[in-house]
Amino acid sequence: MNLRILGIELRRSVAPWAGIVVLAAALAFLYLVPGPWWTGTALWTAQWTSMALWTRYPLVFLWPLAVGLGALQGLRDHRSKMSELLISTPRPARHRAAALAGTTAFALVSSFALLVLLGAVRVLAGDATYTHLGWLPISLVGALALTAGAVLGMGIGRTVPSALTPPALAVGAFLLTNLLRQTSDTATPAAAVPNRLSLLSPAVAEARESLLTLSAPVHLGQTIWLLGMAVTGFVLLAAATPRARLLALTPLLAGAAVALLQFPADPRATYVVDREAARLVCEGPVCVTTARRARMEALEGPGAEALRLLHGVLGDRAPAGLRETTVPRALGDPPQRSREYVLVDFDDAVIGDAEGEELTRALVGQGIAPLCRPRSDTESGTLEEAAAQSIAAAWVLGELRPLERTMHDTSQQAAVADPVWKKFMALPRAEQQQGINALHAAAVSCTGDPLGALTGEAAR
């Protein structure tokens, strides 16, 4: 197909409109609909991998849209009542099919590329310091998914030339993608169907952790499956006999079979940690991942001060350094724990959004009374844990203040912490130190009542 044919097809087909609709729908979703792609360390413009994943995420409705628009394109000859005329021409049917499919593929790939380009510009304008090409396969498979879905829609539209075919295909594809949709967190993606079957969906799970990326077997399996889909659609678009249409299903079925064998059966092998992104970069005792090296400057000063204060309070049991946590976890799982380091999760807004003295206070509280329950995403440490951290930090820094940006209102924290604080401060200094030590031991081991440990009630 040369440029002249491409220009003619762009003028006389719905391909440009298909590209415009897909791009507009994706931009409206990412910019106008509030969601997790707006916040946290994995927001869609924070890092390259999260950008690629979040631009793939809308395929849960963009792919059915491409299938339906492709079917509408496949009805063109039937609507113009010139099918018999085209059959009688000497030009091979595959040439006409290539022109039609190529034009639509060009429009859809261009629209998706513009979406990715916009995200890339936003990432470059931000503070991302980890530049790599590992995100490209995610986006390339997304572009292939739109193309394959549209070509399959064209083939089915030409095979079943009815005005009901495009909407029926779009609805059916939407139901399919939602059935296969991965509905868990990024650490252990699972679905209502087996993991291998769920990976036939062109969409991906929500990008909740920026250190995770899709594994190579997933890329390979989805590429094989989508290529089989595209070949089936193209053969259906060019087929002239029932037998040829029946044989056209072979690439689709073969691609699905090979892809299912290629996909990992274990959900934990679907999304894997990007080792280079998770590599720790250290300035003295403070370490962050390569992906968030830009956070080092803001963390280094308050982190060193927090470690100094913790050593004065806990002595030999004090953490020796600060480390950003790199272990993925499922929603509801307890956070990673360590006796040697204060583990920092930047998705925890109490730490991730704090600066200066407020950050030092949050790190001191986390160092003395690390959480047994996570405080990121849709979860929150318990009200008692927040109160215990605020009391521990107040004992070191001299002022009782509720923690900001938890899911517990500051008045609720004050109602729990104030009585314990007054009772705790009425104790002799030596007993106060024993209470802090007991709180630290209870929190690190995730046993007992942290507030009761402060006043010795937990031991009674």
Side-chain angles (χ1 to χ4, degrees), residues 10-378:
L10 286 174
R11 289 194 299 271
R12 66 194 292 263
S13 70
V14 300
W17 292 106
I20 292 172
V21 167
V22 166
L23 179 60
L27 291 176
F29 176 79
L30 291 172
Y31 277 100
L32 302 180
V33 180
W37 47 92
W38 281 11
T39 59
T41 59
L43 75 162
W44 83 282
T45 56
Q47 302 285 346
W48 291 101
T49 300
S50 56
M51 181 274 294
L53 288 171
W54 279 123
T55 51
R56 274 278 299 273
Y57 182 76
L59 290 184
V60 70
F61 63 87
L62 293 181
W63 186 76
L65 190 61
V67 173
L69 291 170
L72 182 64
Q73 181 82 311
L75 293 177
R76 186 180 66 179
D77 293 347
H78 176 74
R79 292 197 310 268
S80 60
K81 295 180 172 50
M82 56 185 300
S83 300
E84 294 183 1
L85 175 63
L86 291 174
I87 292 174
S88 65
T89 61
R91 187 183 181 189
R94 64 179 181 275
H95 289 183
R96 296 194 302 274
L100 189 62
T103 303
T104 304
F106 174 79
L108 290 174
V109 170
S110 297
S111 67
F112 190 74
L114 285 174
L115 175 66
V116 174
L117 179 62
L118 177 61
V121 171
R122 294 285 303 276
V123 172
L124 289 172
D127 58 359
T129 56
Y130 175 49
T131 303
H132 62 107
L133 297 178
W135 61 274
L136 270 178
I138 302 173
S139 295
L140 291 175
V141 172
L144 177 60
L146 289 174
T147 299
V151 174
L152 180 64
M154 289 181 209
I156 297 175
R158 188 176 186 278
T159 304
V160 188
S162 168
L164 297 177
T165 300
L169 272 182
V171 171
F174 181 74
L175 293 176
L176 178 63
T177 54
N178 277 276
L179 175 65
L180 300 178
R181 185 178 179 183
Q182 298 174 359
T183 56
S184 72
D185 63 280
T186 51
T188 54
V193 295
N195 186 66
R196 282 177 171 165
L197 195 59
S198 71
L199 291 175
L200 293 177
S201 170
V204 297
E206 294 183 3
R208 292 186 178 272
E209 296 193 31
S210 60
L211 299 181
L212 293 181
T213 187
L214 283 168
S215 61
V218 175
H219 294 316
L220 180 59
Q222 289 183 337
T223 299
I224 294 172
W225 153 242
L226 294 171
L227 287 176
M229 182 188 299
V231 172
T232 290
F234 182 81
V235 175
L236 286 175
L237 191 59
T241 64
R243 181 182 178 183
R245 296 188 181 103
L246 187 61
L247 290 175
L249 297 177
T250 303
L252 181 70
L253 298 176
V258 174
L260 289 173
L261 292 175
Q262 183 68 34
F263 290 147
D266 183 3
R268 293 183 182 275
T270 301
Y271 290 82
V272 295
V273 174
D274 183 338
R275 294 184 179 180
E276 181 59 28
R279 183 173 58 85
L280 292 177
V281 178
C282 299
E283 291 289 343
V286 180
C287 298
V288 297
T289 59
T290 301
R292 283 188 276 276
R293 191 169 187 171
R295 304 292 296 263
M296 174 66 80
E297 183 177 353
L299 182 64
E300 188 178 1
E305 175 65 11
L307 291 174
R308 184 187 67 80
L309 294 171
L310 288 170
H311 183 74
V313 173
L314 299 175
D316 294 339
R317 291 174 297 176
L322 263 67
R323 296 286 188 276
E324 180 184 353
T325 180
T326 60
V327 177
R329 61 174 182 82
L331 290 174
D333 282 358
Q336 182 187 3
R337 313 191 61 71
S338 173
R339 293 179 181 272
E340 299 179 9
Y341 304 105
V342 178
L343 295 178
V344 176
D345 182 0
F346 288 113
D347 282 319
D348 179 356
V350 174
I351 293 176
D353 295 345
E355 296 179 351
E357 191 273 337
E358 184 184 359
L359 178 56
T360 300
R361 179 177 292 272
L363 291 172
V364 168
Q366 177 70 1
I368 295 176
L371 295 175
C372 290
R373 289 192 56 190
R375 207 161 39 201
S376 56
D377 298 317
T378 59

